[in-house]
Amino acid sequence: MGETERGDVAPRARISYWCANGHETQPAFAVGQDFEPPAQWDCPRCGLPAGLDRTAPPPPEHNEPYKTHLAYVKERRSDAEGAALLDEALTVLRRRRGDVA
């Protein structure tokens, strides 16, 4: 399929981005009247964010580790509150079984 069948190709510009590992990425962008390249681009080699300034690439993003449901509960409740809730639940269960009057 040639250009005559597809139409004219938009003017393009290759912009250089650098990541913290020193990798250079040059994606091509269609250039229009008010074209402004994105400030960051993901490095296809290592996945780190890459910036326009070779001497000051953006820092790697800090990813929080996966938290379990229990970790979120512990953020909301103290150990004393947890013990009180456990005692309350055990009392209800024992009443149902007839262990406690």
Side-chain angles (χ1 to χ4, degrees):
M1 187 179 244
E3 274 190 37
T4 57
E5 296 171 7
R6 290 185 289 164
D8 293 332
V9 177
R12 301 196 182 274
R14 288 204 168 269
I15 309 292
S16 292
Y17 291 88
W18 288 273
C19 71
N21 288 333
H23 303 139
E24 180 183 13
T25 304
Q26 291 185 326
F29 296 98
V31 182
Q33 294 175 15
D34 54 345
F35 170 70
E36 187 173 324
Q40 288 189 357
W41 195 261
D42 289 338
C43 177
R45 290 180 64 189
C46 64
L48 292 176
L52 296 167
D53 186 359
R54 182 179 200 159
T55 60
E61 295 175 2
H62 177 69
N63 292 330
E64 291 290 325
Y66 172 77
K67 288 185 185 178
T68 63
H69 176 70
L70 181 59
Y72 284 110
V73 170
K74 286 184 175 183
E75 284 181 0
R76 293 191 314 263
R77 305 211 191 289
S78 68
D79 288 341
E81 290 172 321
L85 287 171
L86 179 61
D87 288 340
E88 182 182 326
L90 289 174
T91 301
V92 169
L93 287 174
R94 288 180 181 137
R95 281 189 193 143
R96 288 184 186 164
R97 285 188 20 204
D99 294 347
V100 176

